[in-house]
Amino acid sequence: MKQKFFIIVLISFIANVFAQNNNIDLQLSLGPTLSIPNTSELTNSDVDGRPQIKSKMNIGLFVLPSIKYSLNEKSSLDFGIGYYLDRFSIEDKLGAVTNEGNRNIHQIQTPINYNFHFGTNKSYEFGIGAFASFVLSAKEKGDVITNNSEINIVDPNDPTFSSNTTVSYSKDIKDNYNTVNFGAFLQIKKNITFSESKKGFILLKINQYFNAIKNNNSESDINQYLEFKNEKEPMTVNIGIGILL
C-alpha cells in the first residue's frame, strides 16, 4: 500500500515542478473500472467432470494523477502513473464442486496517449495510447460449493444429508499473472468547467490487455484441463471525472 501512495505522490511532485511551463497541466482523475472478461463461458465435455468456467463483469476503481502537455490547439500528450483495481467475478466448476468468487488485481499503470482535440472550443479529446501495468497483488475470495447429490458415495436418504456444502476460501493468484504486462486503449474526454477558477473533464476509456495472463505449461500432466481453463486477456472500461490542479 505504501508503494502505491509513494508513486502517486512522486508523479504529483514531478508534475508540480513542470507546471511552471504554460503548456503543461497537472490532472487528477478517478472513478470506477468495469472489468469485462472476453470469455463469458467455456465448457469441455471431453474431460472427466466436464470442467466449466464462467467470468462475469465486476466493478473496481482507479486513481490517476497525470501530466497533460499541449502540443498545439488541436493536439496534446498525456502521461500518468496511477493505481488500478480490476475486479472479476468467477465461477469455476469441476464435477460436483463449484468455486464462486471475486478476483481482485491490484496494479500500478503508466498510460501514455496522444489526443486529438475537436468540437466547439476544442472541448472534446479523442485519445489513443498504450500502457504498462505492474501487478502488485492478485487474490481470489469466495465459496467452494459442493453439490452432494452428484457424489455417488453420499446417501440422500441419510437424515444428515445436505444437498449443498459451502466452505469459504481465499487464495493468492498473483502467479497466474505476469508481473509486468502491456495493453492499449482508446479514450474520449469532455472538458468541463466547475467554476471560474477550476476546470476539469469527464472521460470514458476502453483498455485491452495483451499479456496479463501467463501461458500454461505445455509439459504439465494435466495440460488438457489447463489449456481449457486458460482465460483470454481481459478488457476494462474506465468511467471517471477529473480536475486540473
Side-chain angles (χ1 to χ4, degrees):
M1 183 63 71
K2 291 182 179 179
Q3 292 176 330
K4 304 171 190 175
F5 286 108
F6 173 76
I7 293 175
I8 292 174
V9 170
L10 178 61
I11 188 66
S12 300
F13 172 77
I14 294 173
N16 277 317
V17 172
F18 284 104
Q20 299 177 15
N21 189 319
N22 291 332
N23 292 335
I24 294 178
D25 290 310
L26 174 62
Q27 306 175 133
L28 176 65
S29 55
L30 55 87
T33 292
L34 306 178
S35 301
I36 306 172
N38 282 354
T39 301
S40 60
E41 182 174 356
L42 286 174
T43 304
N44 190 343
S45 59
D46 296 328
V47 179
D48 290 342
R50 297 189 63 192
Q52 178 173 291
I53 187 169
K54 297 180 182 179
S55 298
K56 299 178 183 178
M57 183 176 69
N58 210 324
I59 301 176
L61 62 90
F62 76 97
V63 180
L64 176 64
S66 61
I67 296 171
K68 177 181 179 180
Y69 181 78
S70 297
L71 299 173
N72 51 53
E73 189 181 55
K74 297 181 179 180
S75 62
S76 62
L77 287 173
D78 288 350
F79 170 77
I81 301 178
Y83 166 71
Y84 287 73
L85 168 61
D86 290 345
R87 301 184 73 239
F88 301 89
S89 294
I90 197 79
E91 182 180 309
D92 190 352
K93 183 176 182 180
L94 180 60
V97 180
T98 301
N99 290 354
E100 293 183 355
N102 292 315
R103 293 181 177 178
N104 299 324
I105 299 94
H106 301 264
Q107 56 201 301
I108 295 296
Q109 283 190 14
T110 57
I112 183 170
N113 61 286
Y114 181 84
N115 300 305
F116 301 91
H117 299 205
F118 64 98
T120 305
N121 298 323
K122 306 300 180 185
S123 60
Y124 288 89
E125 300 177 19
F126 174 76
I128 181 170
F131 62 86
S133 180
F134 306 86
V135 176
L136 302 175
S137 66
K139 299 183 182 296
E140 181 178 326
K141 294 182 179 181
D143 296 320
V144 180
I145 304 171
T146 303
N147 185 350
N148 295 320
S149 63
E150 295 185 18
I151 303 177
N152 294 332
I153 62 174
V154 178
D155 182 4
N157 296 317
D158 189 317
T160 62
F161 173 78
S162 175
S163 59
N164 289 323
T165 302
T166 302
V167 178
S168 298
Y169 73 92
S170 176
K171 59 183 178 180
D172 190 330
I173 57 172
K174 186 177 180 180
D175 288 342
N176 294 1
Y177 295 86
N178 291 310
T179 302
V180 181
N181 57 82
F182 303 93
F185 64 90
L186 298 175
Q187 174 180 279
I188 188 165
K189 292 166 60 174
K190 171 66 169 70
N191 296 314
I192 57 177
T193 300
F194 295 114
S195 65
E196 292 183 0
S197 60
K198 187 60 64 177
K199 296 182 179 180
F201 54 88
I202 54 178
L203 67 85
L204 173 67
K205 183 166 70 171
I206 301 174
N207 309 284
Q208 177 61 59
Y209 291 85
F210 290 149
N211 66 330
I213 301 173
K214 288 182 178 178
N215 292 326
N216 289 320
N217 182 0
S218 60
E219 298 179 357
S220 173
D221 293 336
I222 54 174
N223 185 53
Q224 185 179 12
Y225 181 45
L226 287 179
E227 282 186 349
F228 155 76
K229 289 185 64 177
N230 196 14
E231 298 170 53
K232 295 183 178 180
E233 302 296 343
M235 177 185 294
T236 62
V237 177
N238 303 144
I239 303 171
I241 188 168
I243 59 173
L244 300 182
L245 302 177

